Amino acid sequence: MKFAFTELSLPKRSSLAVPVFADNELSPTAKEVNDLTGGALTRALETSRFKGKKGDYLEVLAPTGVEVSRVILVGLGKIADLTLTDFENLGGTLVKRLNAAGARAVTLMLDGLELDDTKDNEAAAHVAYGAKLASYRFEKYKSDSEDDDNQPSLQRMTLACQASAGARKAFADLEAIADGVFLTRDLVSEPANKLFPEAFADRCKELTDLGVEVEILDEEKMRRLGMGALLGVGQGSVRESRMVVMKWNGAKKEDQKPIAFVGKGVCFDTGGISLKPAPGMEEMKWDMGGAGTVTGLMKALAGRKAKVNVIGVIGLVENMPDGNAQRPGDIVTAMNGTTIEVLNTDAEGRLVLADALWYTQDRFKPEVMIDLATLTGAIIISLGHENAGLFANDDKLADDIFAAGKEVGEGVWRLPMQKEYADMIKSPIADLQNIGSGGRGAGSIVAAEFLKKFVGETAWAHIDIAGMAWSKKDSPTVPKGGTGYGVRMLDQYVRSAHEGK
Ligand code: BES
Ligand code: MN
Ligand code: ZN
């Protein structure tokens, strides 16, 4: 789908979308069209439930008096209440409806918003951004069928606004972020027979085109580094484990301390010898969602040339039951020398992250370190699919991430950490055990306490995205499937906390 930004003037042939505000107050263009069509719009409004609320939508087909093929009335509610997320949702709604209607092109006349030029530009850019995010499809494994009525029809969206040059510029950055989100969605959607650790690492190499340095650690290298926790998880798989280090050096000062992002990349999680039940196990193809988000985020930051130094580290393994798989009760030694009793081989993500986190802070001495992981089913019990779980050893970092999530509409909610939870992972015969002694209680917190043992003194946050990486329902800018959750939030975090934007 292509996007264009133009000055305000009525289009020909394409579909025309015009805002309608609270209590059906028409935008200037809507009034003009209403006059040209002898009142077709107000008559249509009177015969419908349309109230001018956010999300209201009404099509008037081929009205006489104007050359456009259809006029779409889009409700925006009260002007004073509008946020950038509302504009994104508007873009997303237009894409969905117009694809269903078979339209090929649409022009949205964004007038009557009473915004200054900058805000007006931002609004237009965010409509395009929302439309782009909504247009995502993962269909590389679908055979072509030309007569498929479900093929998206919409090819072009034109945003007409006061000062279109500024909008075009604002959209360039947003488009880079959307490209990052799309990479995450692609990675998360791939099945595990296609995206195993080595294949994932190969996909990361593609980021070198954007100026990202990519380094791949193979099993031998990791063994020499002493990463016994990560390697233990992968040892039951015929697929070799990998760790990928991605570097983006965008800071003015080359020696600026980096921001580090670390991701859990379990390309498939059967549970290992502590085998998961069969129903729903296919979902564990997206147990690499944390690594997917880190990779998409690196693409977004490099794509918009963020003025920061960033490190992305992902631990890639496949957790399989096998003659060589690790057993419940096995004791492994992590890179930092900590011995871990593996009481449940299905609590594998924390073992992978233990080595990835330690390695990251040890080698790169980052200013802050943020990990993302589809770590626990328990976080879905706590927060459902509305918020990711946030854990941190640093209040400022937690607050910054929370604020960034609010800003872009990706929710996180902080949960506590304290000694009593940490006590639950003391092992009688090793330094740590990988599941809590308190049964199923506080599963997500106990997992976070485990990770905390491997972050040293670094300011650190952990985001449990088990409920967020995948969605079973469409929302305006996130089609069902891999969501790309976290890319937008952490891009925003980097902007506001490190780039002063
Ligand atoms: N990958 C799972 C967590 C998960 C569950 C992600 C559902 C997405 C949806 C993780 O490796 C896991 O199996 N965790 C166990 C931990 C338990 C054994 C302590 C869990 O949550 O049951
Ligand atoms: Mn597991
Ligand atoms: Zn897992």
Side-chain angles (χ1 to χ4, degrees):
M1 208 177 132
K2 292 226 155 49
F3 296 93
F5 297 87
T6 64
E7 308 300 314
L8 289 157
S9 71
L10 276 190
K12 292 181 179 148
R13 286 186 295 278
S14 89
S15 300
L16 171 70
V18 290
V20 178
F21 304 106
D23 304 322
N24 282 355
E25 187 201 330
L26 299 183
S27 68
T29 309
K31 276 190 197 128
E32 185 187 337
V33 172
N34 194 43
D35 292 343
L36 289 169
T37 57
L41 304 192
T42 38
R43 278 200 304 282
L45 288 174
E46 279 159 17
T47 53
S48 77
R49 283 174 186 266
F50 196 101
K51 298 265 167 32
K53 294 195 308 290
K54 277 177 201 170
D56 279 358
Y57 187 97
L58 185 67
E59 280 189 20
V60 182
L61 284 177
T64 47
V66 284
E67 289 181 77
V68 297
S69 50
R70 53 160 78 67
V71 177
I72 301 144
L73 303 165
V74 288
L76 278 181
K78 287 209 189 82
I79 295 172
D81 295 347
L82 284 166
T83 64
L84 290 177
T85 307
D86 292 325
F87 288 108
E88 290 165 13
N89 290 342
L90 167 61
T93 303
L94 279 172
V95 165
K96 199 169 170 190
R97 297 283 199 136
L98 289 169
N99 274 333
R104 297 179 63 83
V106 64
T107 300
L108 172 67
M109 302 285 279
L110 219 46
D111 58 358
L113 293 170
E114 296 162 27
L115 301 172
D116 62 33
D117 273 8
T118 335
K119 286 273 166 55
D120 182 67
N121 289 338
E122 274 192 357
H126 279 263
V127 174
Y129 184 39
K132 168 132 185 169
L133 289 169
S135 70
Y136 176 82
R137 292 187 156 223
F138 184 78
E139 44 195 18
K140 64 191 273 202
Y141 298 112
K142 272 192 175 286
S143 314
D144 292 339
S145 55
E146 293 212 341
D147 52 6
D148 187 355
D149 275 349
N150 291 323
Q151 284 300 314
S153 58
L154 195 65
Q155 309 284 327
R156 191 174 181 82
M157 178 177 281
T158 304
L159 287 311
C161 60
Q162 285 168 47
S164 51
R168 201 172 296 125
K169 199 157 162 274
F171 182 57
D173 262 14
L174 296 175
E175 212 171 15
I177 303 168
D179 287 339
V181 172
F182 283 15
L183 173 58
T184 303
R185 290 179 183 174
D186 282 346
L187 292 168
V188 165
S189 304
E190 286 284 357
N193 63 330
K194 306 287 180 186
L195 196 81
F196 41 90
E198 274 182 272
F200 195 139
D202 283 343
R203 296 288 296 270
C204 295
K205 276 195 223 147
E206 292 166 18
L207 297 186
T208 50
D209 294 348
L210 291 171
V212 177
E213 283 172 43
V214 181
E215 184 186 333
I216 298 170
L217 280 60
D218 61 14
E219 287 193 351
E220 198 194 314
K221 181 86 206 265
M222 290 191 276
R223 198 161 292 121
R224 267 189 275 127
L225 286 164
M227 296 186 176
L230 183 150
L231 289 168
V233 177
Q235 80 185 30
S237 170
V238 295
R239 303 292 193 185
E240 279 203 21
S241 304
R242 290 287 181 271
M243 182 171 290
V244 182
V245 178
M246 294 168 273
K247 267 190 228 174
W248 167 252
N249 291 319
K252 289 211 186 72
K253 278 187 11 212
E254 217 183 293
D255 59 350
Q256 181 82 46
K257 275 190 164 192
I259 311 160
F261 296 99
V262 179
K264 166 180 172 181
V266 177
C267 293
F268 197 82
D269 180 13
T270 63
I273 296 298
S274 311
L275 193 64
K276 286 182 181 296
M281 202 204 276
E282 72 283 355
E283 296 201 352
M284 286 301 111
K285 75 171 185 181
W286 50 261
D287 205 21
M288 34 53 68
T293 299
V294 170
T295 309
L297 177 65
M298 294 305 290
K299 179 164 188 175
L301 294 171
R304 69 167 181 81
K305 303 210 176 334
K307 293 194 173 36
V308 282
N309 291 341
V310 188
I311 302 288
V313 175
I314 57 178
L316 302 171
V317 301
E318 185 179 57
N319 189 21
M320 298 290 274
D322 172 80
N324 192 43
Q326 73 180 344
R327 295 146 289 255
D330 281 4
I331 295 177
V332 295
T333 305
M335 184 184 168
N336 70 348
T338 302
T339 54
I340 306 163
E341 190 186 8
V342 181
L343 292 180
N344 188 320
T345 64
D346 197 12
E348 86 297 339
R350 62 200 74 181
L351 298 169
V352 173
L353 285 174
D355 283 333
L357 287 165
W358 181 260
Y359 175 75
T360 302
Q361 57 83 43
D362 184 52
R363 174 168 167 198
F364 299 107
K365 310 279 184 281
E367 189 182 335
V368 301
M369 178 161 73
I370 300 171
D371 78 72
L372 295 115
T374 50
L375 202 63
T376 65
I379 203 68
I380 308 177
I381 307 296
S382 311
L383 299 172
H385 304 285
E386 309 308 324
N387 289 285
L390 173 63
F391 305 82
N393 63 3
D394 184 287
D395 292 341
K396 164 98 173 41
L397 177 58
D399 291 348
D400 286 347
I401 293 172
F402 179 79
K406 264 239 147 22
E407 183 90 23
V408 303
E410 290 190 330
V412 281
W413 194 256
R414 190 172 178 188
L415 280 87
M417 301 192 69
Q418 65 193 54
K419 183 177 176 301
E420 287 75 7
Y421 298 113
D423 287 344
M424 292 158 75
I425 47 172
K426 284 185 180 157
S427 159
I429 59 166
D431 300 330
L432 293 176
Q433 57 187 41
N434 77 331
I435 56 171
S437 54
R440 300 209 295 163
S444 307
I445 305 177
V446 168
E449 293 288 356
F450 186 93
L451 300 182
K452 189 165 176 255
K453 305 281 184 191
F454 301 90
V455 304
E457 298 301 309
T458 313
W460 155 81
H462 156 60
I463 308 176
D464 192 336
I465 61 170
M468 305 305 285
W470 188 265
S471 174
K472 289 183 177 165
K473 61 175 208 292
D474 282 325
S475 71
T477 57
V478 186
K480 60 173 174 281
T483 61
Y485 174 91
V487 173
R488 302 180 52 203
M489 174 173 72
L490 294 172
D491 171 78
Q492 181 62 39
Y493 162 76
V494 170
R495 269 166 204 269
S496 51
H498 298 271
E499 291 177 287
K501 284 193 187 173

